[in-house]
Amino acid sequence: MQPILTAQDRENLVSPLFKFDRQFWMTIAVLSVITLPGLALYVRQLFLGLGVTDLNRPVFWGAYLVNFIFLIGISMAGTVISAVLHLLHIEWRRPITRIAESLTVFGLMTAGLQIIMDMGRPDRLINTILYGRLQAPLMWDIASLTLYLLTASFALYLQLIPDIAFMRDSTPENAPTWRKKLYSTLSLGWRGNKEQWTRLEKAITTVSVILIPIGVSLHTVTSWLFSTTVQPGWKSTILGPYFVVGAIYSGIGLLFIAVTFATQYNHHLKSYITDTFYKNLGWIFIVMSFVWFYFTLNETLVVTTEQETLEFPVMAAKLFGEFAPAFWGMNVLMVATTWILIALKVPNKASSNPLFKTTTGLVMTVLAVVTFIALALNIPTLHGAFVELGLLIAFIVFFVLALLGLTGWFQAHLIPSTVIASAFVLFGMWLERWNILMPTLTHARIIPYTTYFPTVTEVALTISTFGILTLIFVVFYKFFPSISIWEVEAGRALEIKNGG
Amino acid sequence: MNFPMEKPLFQFFYWLVNTPGLGSVAIALLVGAAVTIFFLTLRWIVSAKNEGEEGLPFPPQH
């Protein structure tokens, strides 16, 4: 059996992994600058304790736990893309499965860091292991997280073995010895005979089947940390499915961004990761946006309608209280996302009408942002029912005109528009996690209401977290191919066999 | 109605979920089982012997 990819194809995929060029070091430098201040502040937190944060009773969980849930959520991308699409034999999945699976592993690793950050005395972590009880939802979460991380890492490794063997056999002569040893060890002596391939495919299929329920369990068990309490806003049966939907939604968003980042980094990847991926996964993205809106409406409508004594103040804080900017900001971002995604699916006929001019859209976007900020800041000079109503109407008009104006641009720029929509989803989902945690913690039952605002330490560590996530991504793909070479080759072979 | 705690079964469940350290034992068993299965799977894959061609670039059925 002859290789389908040409020697040049293989060279394009492998040679960038051995070039530590200026672009790579610049990326590392920028990410280090983003990451280091947070790490320095963490050392300070370690010495001074959690007093450097705004965490205090009853707000014992803050930005760190918001990050934890958010990162657990985005790790769902690997499960959906790799496992589900693999089982359904969806062909366009092939070039992006590796990135999807690695995002799961990296997301879970950085999520685990949040728990350490959230502990004033991380040296006492051992006590959770020594004295952990089965009745504690935190133990269930640790069990689920550990199992998911192990299984996702195993799935990633299984899929990597043939490519590591290929790297072992294609390492340039001048490559460092340790790198040759690394590939030699990790390839486990893979020879690529028929029986090995058959067993590998069986194992990948089995792991895909196992990975889906474990992934769903992690996202639901995380929600049980909240819904097994009696706190208003948390004791909801829909929280589990709501977490899963949000996880898939944000996971796909991160996948779009990561794949685009990888193709910008190595232009040769563009011949493998084509518009088809953006178009097809875009449909799933649209479906998830509708499901997410439906669940948000469900949660909001039920609590608002019943107006239960303890529950309603939490919801009121989100609808028109101190959490209104985050709640409505999240909804505005998600509406914009859905519009962009739908605009990408309809024919491009939006250029002749003056309403659909890009300049009009940009001006209206600026006006919409300004009016939203004015509403969010609740500026005292603007107080008054009519002024606020006027601002609200102005914002809605500007927002609608902005979306209409930019429609033509969205339709003409598939990839940038998808990345913008994805960024909106990621930010919106972070806000959603914030809106689940913070209104309840600041409006807990029995004790007086309080406030919470992240300190510089918490903000810096949040930024560091995303710096670390990107850093792991960049370094990992300097050692391993970012697309699965053998999977792409198998896809091409299948195309040829089917007369494609 | 409360749990019928006078019954041995419920006393056992109470002991099971409330004893410090048992949660960690459960996690250790879970992780141990997973790691063992993954290790054995890897060994099963790479130990496959075949008389035919080697160095196939992708699964042969494609």
Side-chain angles (χ1 to χ4, degrees):
Chain A
M1 188 163 64
Q2 292 301 313
I4 304 290
L5 295 179
T6 64
Q8 186 60 49
D9 286 332
R10 288 165 175 260
E11 168 74 10
N12 289 341
L13 291 169
V14 173
S15 64
L17 305 184
F18 293 95
K19 285 179 191 155
F20 288 86
D21 51 7
R22 196 164 161 237
Q23 185 194 16
F24 174 74
W25 291 117
M26 283 296 289
T27 312
I28 295 290
V30 170
L31 291 171
S32 302
V33 168
I34 292 171
T35 307
L36 286 175
L39 296 183
L41 285 170
Y42 177 68
V43 175
R44 181 170 169 265
Q45 177 188 302
L46 215 51
F47 281 104
L48 299 178
L50 283 176
V52 297
T53 67
D54 199 26
L55 297 172
N56 208 335
R57 286 181 187 175
V59 185
F60 42 83
W61 287 341
Y64 301 145
L65 255 291
V66 174
N67 294 339
F68 172 74
I69 304 167
F70 174 76
L71 289 162
I72 292 274
I74 59 172
S75 70
M76 191 74 174
T79 313
V80 174
I81 303 308
S82 186
V84 177
L85 300 185
H86 172 84
L87 293 172
L88 295 174
H89 298 286
I90 305 287
E91 282 302 311
W92 53 263
R93 79 179 193 279
R94 292 182 184 274
I96 46 93
T97 46
R98 169 101 15 102
I99 293 179
E101 284 173 0
S102 62
L103 287 177
T104 298
V105 177
F106 306 154
L108 292 174
M109 285 161 70
T110 40
L113 282 180
Q114 304 305 308
I115 302 298
I116 311 281
M117 289 176 189
D118 195 51
M119 296 182 83
R121 293 283 304 272
D123 52 301
R124 291 182 177 174
L125 189 65
I126 189 75
N127 291 344
T128 61
I129 296 164
L130 292 177
Y131 307 110
R133 291 185 296 167
L134 270 179
Q135 54 124 294
L138 274 171
M139 286 306 281
W140 313 339
D141 207 36
I142 292 171
S144 202
L145 176 71
T146 313
L147 195 61
Y148 191 38
L149 180 58
L150 279 172
T151 315
S153 306
F154 181 60
L156 176 66
Y157 183 53
L158 272 183
Q159 211 234 22
L160 262 169
I161 292 173
D163 282 354
I164 295 174
F166 172 69
M167 297 289 294
R168 174 196 63 196
D169 302 334
S170 328
T171 314
E173 285 297 318
N174 57 353
T177 315
W178 65 266
R179 206 157 167 182
K180 288 176 185 169
K181 277 186 183 166
L182 177 78
Y183 293 132
S184 180
T185 310
L186 291 178
S187 64
L188 302 175
W190 174 267
R191 296 177 305 282
N193 63 45
K194 192 181 171 188
E195 186 58 26
Q196 278 187 332
W197 277 114
T198 308
R199 290 185 184 184
L200 181 76
E201 286 214 305
K202 276 182 189 168
I204 290 176
T205 304
T206 310
V207 172
S208 299
V209 173
I210 295 169
L211 205 53
I212 298 165
I214 297 177
V216 172
S217 84
L218 175 61
H219 298 289
T220 42
V221 169
T222 305
S223 79
W224 293 347
L225 295 180
F226 310 104
S227 52
T228 50
T229 68
V230 288
Q231 292 295 349
W234 285 356
K235 52 180 180 65
S236 157
T237 51
I238 205 174
L239 221 50
Y242 194 32
F243 268 48
V244 174
V245 168
I248 299 172
Y249 196 22
S250 56
I252 295 173
L254 181 70
L255 182 64
F256 273 129
I257 291 177
V259 166
T260 309
F261 179 71
T263 52
Q264 292 301 313
Y265 206 80
N266 179 1
H267 291 284
H268 296 302
L269 297 180
K270 285 180 182 167
S271 52
Y272 305 96
I273 301 169
T274 58
D275 288 357
T276 312
F277 154 68
Y278 289 91
K279 286 175 183 166
N280 290 345
L281 195 61
W283 283 114
I284 303 178
F285 214 20
I286 290 176
V287 172
M288 293 321 297
S289 80
F290 285 133
V291 178
W292 181 87
F293 268 116
Y294 181 70
F295 275 46
T296 306
L297 175 72
N298 183 319
E299 186 69 358
T300 313
L301 185 76
V302 169
V303 178
T304 309
T305 309
E306 70 182 12
Q307 301 216 2
E308 198 265 329
T309 318
L310 290 173
E311 292 276 346
F312 189 67
V314 177
M315 183 54 74
K318 290 197 258 188
L319 292 177
F320 19 76
E322 65 267 41
F323 291 97
F327 180 77
W328 292 111
M330 167 190 82
N331 281 297
V332 165
L333 285 169
M334 297 311 195
V335 169
T337 299
T338 311
W339 178 264
I340 295 170
L341 294 170
I342 292 172
L344 292 172
K345 300 295 176 197
V346 293
N348 184 6
K349 289 179 180 173
S351 52
S352 54
N353 194 317
L355 268 181
F356 291 90
K357 294 289 177 199
T358 307
T359 40
T360 315
L362 287 173
V363 172
M364 291 300 151
T365 304
V366 173
L367 291 172
V369 170
V370 170
T371 42
F372 186 84
I373 291 171
L375 275 166
L377 291 178
N378 204 5
I379 300 165
T381 51
L382 298 179
H383 270 179
F386 286 110
V387 177
E388 279 184 355
L389 184 66
L391 272 174
L392 184 64
I393 292 169
F395 167 73
I396 293 169
V397 171
F398 292 147
F399 181 61
V400 171
L401 289 175
L403 290 181
L404 289 175
L406 292 171
T407 300
W409 188 90
F410 294 142
Q411 290 174 330
H413 300 85
L414 170 70
I415 296 174
S417 302
T418 310
V419 169
I420 291 170
S422 303
F424 283 175
V425 167
L426 287 186
F427 188 43
M429 286 309 298
W430 192 92
L431 289 175
E432 192 228 49
R433 293 355 189 164
W434 173 271
N435 293 329
I436 289 173
L437 250 77
M438 303 327 297
T440 294
L441 287 166
T442 52
H443 296 73
R445 64 197 286 272
I446 301 175
I447 47 183
Y449 293 166
T450 183
T451 56
Y452 166 80
F453 202 80
T455 60
V456 175
T457 304
E458 290 163 282
V459 173
L461 271 167
T462 300
I463 295 168
S464 278
T465 298
F466 295 108
I468 292 169
L469 180 66
T470 319
L471 207 54
I472 298 173
F473 185 84
V474 170
V475 172
F476 184 83
Y477 286 117
K478 205 62 195 167
F479 290 91
F480 302 102
S482 50
I483 67 166
S484 174
I485 299 173
W486 69 269
E487 274 222 71
V488 168
E489 205 155 13
R492 293 258 172 104
L494 205 63
E495 267 178 41
I496 293 166
K497 191 177 162 187
N498 295 335
Chain B
M1 185 181 147
N2 291 321
F3 283 108
M5 288 307 295
E6 69 282 2
K7 297 190 174 171
L9 184 67
F10 284 87
Q11 287 170 8
F12 169 71
F13 283 145
Y14 184 86
W15 172 85
L16 192 70
V17 299
N18 282 298
T19 306
L22 276 189
S24 312
V25 170
I27 292 178
L29 287 174
L30 200 67
V31 170
V35 170
T36 308
I37 290 169
F38 296 158
F39 173 76
L40 291 175
T41 308
L42 285 174
R43 210 175 69 157
W44 174 68
I45 293 169
V46 294
S47 67
K49 301 242 180 330
N50 197 285
E51 296 300 316
E53 194 182 354
E54 286 202 342
L56 302 175
F58 51 87
Q61 63 270 34
H62 294 287

